Amino acid sequence: MRRKTTLVVAGVLFLAACDSGEGSQLDTIAPSSESLSPLPTLPATTAAATTVATTTEATLPEGVVGLSADGPWKLVDSAPGITTPGLVYELMPGLWVYLPVVEDIANGITWTLNEEDRPIIEGYLQATLVYYAAVTSNPMDFSSEGWTTYYVDGGERLKGVMEPRGAAGQVVSLEAGVVLRPTVLGDGRSEVDAIVADCSLDGAVRRNADGSIAEGSTPGVVETEVGATMRMSDGRWKLDRVTELAGACV
């Protein structure tokens, strides 16, 4: 099977809205939703920290579907915590994406990158890159045109959460690296709507201006379960809403 499925109750995906990994009230994910939660920085539970690895460029194997060659990423040989076969792209220093190309049920890989889903994945990666580029700038910088290009609402709701933190002098550091591991779900998939599940290896931390750890962040690397609704808008896939998705790492 090419597309991973997740927990469905009465035909509806149930998700928990999140802010820096702290779960709150249950909500349903829908393309027309008016609420947007930020991409979580760090959940409350931590695992052992890792050292960000140095990666070198790689070559796409013949006959394998990869990301667009002109995108803001480069194919590299590895990323922290990745041991199964697949493609690894570096989006920016400390931020990678792992995309499986071979189904491996024993290791939980039931979706592989394919041409039909590639534009959805690329839209998700572009939006995520816009976010991390903004919040890792010191001071945080939300002026990128990418917000309009890759977010349904221009990023206004997400910026509304993060701009006050930036104004207070906070900044996100990719200290132990972040490895995105997105898949496109079969549930909720149509010509204009899609859901991306991402079980990321999250080693980012949000710090105050004095270098101390900001409230809600914890150093270390954890698995963060994220669900993102994607919508076809203005001829491209844009991010609509991000929430915590229970079961994304199953």
Side-chain angles (χ1 to χ4, degrees):
M1 56 189 294
R2 292 192 310 168
R3 294 198 182 96
K4 180 179 178 180
T5 57
T6 190
L7 178 63
V8 180
V9 180
V12 180
L13 291 167
F14 282 86
L15 305 151
C18 63
D19 182 358
S20 296
E22 298 178 1
S24 57
Q25 65 183 10
L26 285 175
D27 196 5
T28 57
I29 193 165
S32 60
S33 172
E34 289 300 319
S35 63
L36 176 65
S37 298
L39 289 167
T41 329
L42 282 172
T45 305
T46 62
T50 62
T51 301
V52 174
T54 300
T55 55
T56 57
E57 291 194 46
T59 303
L60 185 68
E62 186 176 352
V64 173
V65 175
L67 299 180
S68 298
D70 59 351
W73 38 66
K74 64 178 180 180
L75 186 65
V76 294
D77 61 347
S78 63
I82 298 301
T83 59
T84 51
L87 303 177
V88 176
Y89 288 85
E90 183 182 62
L91 281 70
M92 62 183 286
L95 179 63
W96 296 269
V97 59
Y98 165 71
L99 300 166
V101 293
V102 178
E103 186 177 279
D104 186 350
I105 303 300
N107 286 300
I109 298 175
T110 58
W111 174 91
T112 58
L113 183 63
N114 58 84
E115 191 59 39
E116 183 181 3
D117 292 339
R118 179 185 56 77
I120 300 170
I121 291 292
E122 291 187 350
Y124 173 71
L125 296 179
Q126 293 273 20
T128 306
L129 179 57
V130 168
Y131 168 82
Y132 276 111
V135 299
T136 58
S137 296
N138 192 5
M140 291 187 185
D141 182 0
F142 299 92
S143 63
S144 170
E145 295 181 358
W147 291 102
T148 300
T149 305
Y150 297 109
Y151 285 80
V152 171
D153 71 340
E156 291 305 314
R157 290 167 290 183
L158 179 52
K159 288 188 287 186
V161 173
M162 299 305 294
E163 283 179 331
R165 295 175 176 178
Q170 294 184 6
V171 64
V172 173
S173 173
L174 301 178
E175 294 184 1
V178 173
V179 183
L180 309 172
R181 298 186 292 180
T183 62
V184 178
L185 300 184
D187 301 303
R189 180 76 159 87
S190 72
E191 294 299 317
V192 294
D193 298 314
I195 300 172
V196 172
D198 189 350
C199 175
S200 65
L201 301 176
D202 192 343
V205 65
R206 184 163 37 87
R207 293 188 176 275
N208 296 311
D210 62 1
S212 61
I213 297 173
E215 182 179 358
S217 287
T218 310
V221 177
V222 296
E223 287 189 337
T224 300
E225 297 184 316
V226 169
T229 46
M230 304 296 296
R231 183 191 301 177
M232 176 62 71
S233 177
D234 300 325
R236 72 172 70 244
W237 286 97
K238 297 185 180 184
L239 192 149
D240 181 20
R241 187 164 68 97
V242 176
T243 61
E244 182 181 354
L245 173 56
C249 292
V250 174

